[in-house]
Amino acid sequence: MTAYVRAAALGVICLGASRPAAAQGMAIEVAQSVGASSEAIASAGTQVRVLGEIAPRVRVLAETAWGGRSRDESDVFGTAYPYGGRVDVMDAYAEFLASGRRGLRAVKAGRYRTPFGISNASDHAYMGFLRPPLVRYGGYYALSSGYLEHGVDIVVGAPRLSVEASLGVPGDVGEAVRRAGVSTAFRAQAAAGALIVGASYVDTTPYLPSSFAIGRARFAGADARWMAGGWQLRGEWLAGQPFAGTTTTGGYVDAIVHRPSMGPVTAFARAERLDYDARPPHALASHRYLAGARVRVWQTVAVSAGVVHQAGQLTQRRRTAVEIGLTGVWRRGF
């Protein structure tokens, strides 16, 4: 029995033996997922999180992830976690939440995801999408869903308008691991009614070898999301250089729908593109379309299924693929 099948079996046993419990001051959470693609790829992953408040207005999150895939060099099932067959530490930080007055809002220290655009794991891993956006797959000369910072992150502002700044060094996992050096990121966010808009900038080190990837990796981006009546529309656009002498531009638009009449079903769709401008034959232009649904089948167990079509340079062997994933979550307060 392969390693990823053993992990899947262990996770299913844990889910079957325990019932979800309401969160208390602290909680432990185990998420188990398995999946398969018509590209002849199977996967399994396990995430273990400890989270909650350890003191008034001080919360912590510590998360580890293990993932295995029957074939590498693909972004399938890579929405928020790597699938390298090893245990990786993901988020591991403490965060102080200031009072609601204007000014300082939060200070985070430790290991956390790079605060650029729509970057939280929950934004990508729990909506039903089984592939990350092209602009967040490490092999496409933009960002990576495995980018992590070791540093300090500060948020200041008012509830509807805030600015965030991060200073640290890369602590990445997965296929794209940035070189050593200082990394800075800035983000501004504003909210008006059902609309949230943001702008981001990151200045960091390239993940490609220094023999040809000279200079810095710098990207600017804009993002937005609108939520009303069971609809969520969101998207990101970025532009910049993965290293000196090249440029990458691209983005995506998502539509996520969950109306009361749909019962346990959430429908989703994505349209995206990415252009990498470099010397031939390394330049690429790719676009992709995805549609699917997430169905809650029992309490905290859900099935996601989708069809994805990609043109241009492929991370997938077939232009069109059908994929399905099963995820269950066990949670216990203590």
Side-chain angles (χ1 to χ4, degrees):
M1 185 181 290
T2 62
Y4 64 85
V5 173
R6 287 198 298 270
L10 177 60
V12 171
I13 292 171
C14 291
L15 289 167
S18 306
R19 296 181 63 84
Q24 301 175 10
M26 293 291 294
I28 183 170
E29 185 176 277
V30 178
Q32 175 64 49
S33 60
V34 294
S37 170
S38 62
E39 291 189 87
I41 300 176
S43 76
T46 303
Q47 296 87 47
V48 179
R49 309 175 189 94
V50 177
L51 66 163
E53 292 190 358
I54 58 174
R57 298 202 300 272
V58 178
R59 66 184 183 187
V60 296
L61 171 62
E63 177 184 79
T64 60
W66 179 93
R69 244 185 330 223
S70 58
R71 179 172 67 82
D72 292 329
E73 299 180 355
S74 173
D75 64 346
V76 65
F77 310 119
T79 51
Y81 306 99
Y83 282 79
R86 51 177 285 180
V87 176
D88 290 299
V89 177
M90 303 300 293
D91 295 272
Y93 62 80
E95 184 175 29
F96 170 71
L97 303 175
S99 63
R101 301 186 184 92
R102 293 180 180 272
L104 180 67
R105 299 193 58 78
V107 178
K108 181 190 301 181
R111 179 179 173 90
Y112 50 87
R113 293 179 185 269
T114 304
F116 185 104
I118 302 174
S119 58
N120 291 329
S122 59
D123 289 319
H124 296 287
Y126 307 115
M127 291 293 188
F129 294 102
L130 299 177
R131 293 178 186 256
L134 293 174
V135 294
R136 291 189 175 274
Y137 172 59
Y140 266 15
Y141 308 101
L143 305 178
S144 169
S145 59
Y147 276 3
L148 296 161
E149 308 293 336
H150 290 159
V152 177
D153 182 270
I154 300 174
V155 180
V156 298
R160 290 190 171 273
L161 177 62
S162 62
V163 177
E164 182 175 4
S166 168
L167 174 64
V169 297
D172 307 332
V173 296
E175 297 176 352
V177 176
R178 289 170 291 172
R179 306 198 299 259
V182 176
S183 178
T184 57
F186 303 93
R187 174 170 168 77
Q189 179 173 291
L195 179 65
I196 300 173
V197 295
S200 304
Y201 180 79
V202 64
D203 185 331
T204 187
T205 54
Y207 72 86
L208 294 161
S210 59
S211 57
F212 66 90
I214 60 175
R216 302 279 292 177
R218 297 187 177 97
F219 289 97
D223 60 90
R225 69 177 81 197
W226 174 85
M227 294 173 284
W231 284 81
Q232 180 180 171
L233 302 178
R234 67 181 189 185
E236 293 186 81
W237 184 265
L238 63 75
Q241 63 173 46
F243 54 92
T246 62
T247 59
T248 300
T249 58
Y252 64 93
V253 175
D254 291 343
I256 303 164
V257 187
H258 181 76
R259 303 280 295 171
S261 60
M262 297 171 66
V265 179
T266 299
F268 53 84
R270 170 178 291 161
E272 57 183 323
R273 67 169 297 139
L274 182 141
D275 294 292
Y276 170 62
D277 186 10
R279 293 179 179 178
H282 304 293
L284 69 89
S286 183
H287 59 273
R288 184 159 68 183
Y289 306 95
L290 185 151
R294 179 180 175 89
V295 182
R296 181 172 57 85
V297 295
W298 178 77
Q299 293 187 355
T300 57
V301 178
V303 173
S304 300
V307 178
V308 57
H309 177 78
Q310 182 171 341
Q313 181 169 326
L314 300 178
T315 61
Q316 54 196 65
R317 292 182 176 179
R318 301 177 181 175
R319 290 187 179 273
T320 302
V322 178
E323 291 145 6
I324 187 168
L326 172 68
T327 301
V329 180
W330 169 87
R331 186 182 180 98
R332 177 77 65 184
F334 62 90

